[in-house]
Amino acid sequence: MLDELRAREERLKQREAEVADRAQALSVAKSEIDGRLAELVAAEEKLSATLTLADDAADEDVARLVTVYEKMKPKDAASLFAEMDPDFAAGFVARMRPDAAAAVMAGLDPKEAYTISVVLAGRNANAPRE
């Protein structure tokens, strides 16, 4: 019986050692996961900042073009807008001052002006209303 108890005690010590090894391995794995997660969060923040810079730069470029189109003679701007895809042209018209946009639209062929107007009117048709 004493031998059985000693054998049982030895098995329990062995299991305790295995459990301790597993707990240590889990702790190491958790530390690695936490480190990688922190790296991913940092990379995501860096990517977000980069995307924001790119979006801001693109918005500045478009705003600069809008200003250029607004300062052009309406007749010249209209001939340029006539060559643009209506969706593309509508994006600029939407950002222009109303008086400048009106002058450009007035200089367009009525069908072209109508097409751009339809695009402008339908841009937010699917937006939620509540």
Side-chain angles (χ1 to χ4, degrees), residues 36-57:
R36 288 184 183 171
L37 183 61
E39 289 173 8
L40 285 173
V41 168
E44 184 179 19
E45 289 172 355
K46 185 177 178 182
L47 177 61
S48 179
T50 301
L51 290 174
T52 299
L53 281 173
D55 286 345
D56 290 348

Side-chain angles (χ1 to χ4, degrees), residues 21-69:
D21 288 347
R22 286 182 185 170
Q24 179 64 27
L26 286 173
S27 177
V28 168
K30 184 183 181 313
S31 295
E32 287 179 19
I33 290 170
D34 289 345
R36 288 184 183 171
L37 183 61
E39 289 173 8
L40 285 173
V41 168
E44 184 179 19
E45 289 172 355
K46 185 177 178 182
L47 177 61
S48 179
T50 301
L51 290 174
T52 299
L53 281 173
D55 286 345
D56 290 348
D59 282 345
E60 287 178 26
D61 291 344
V62 171
R64 191 172 295 114
L65 271 174
V66 167
T67 301
V68 167
Y69 294 147

Side-chain angles (χ1 to χ4, degrees), residues 69-81 99-100 102-108:
Y69 294 147
E70 287 175 336
K71 290 184 178 189
M72 289 174 74
K73 292 180 182 176
K75 178 180 132 187
D76 295 336
S79 65
L80 200 80
F81 275 60
D99 61 317
V104 170
M105 293 287 280
L108 289 171

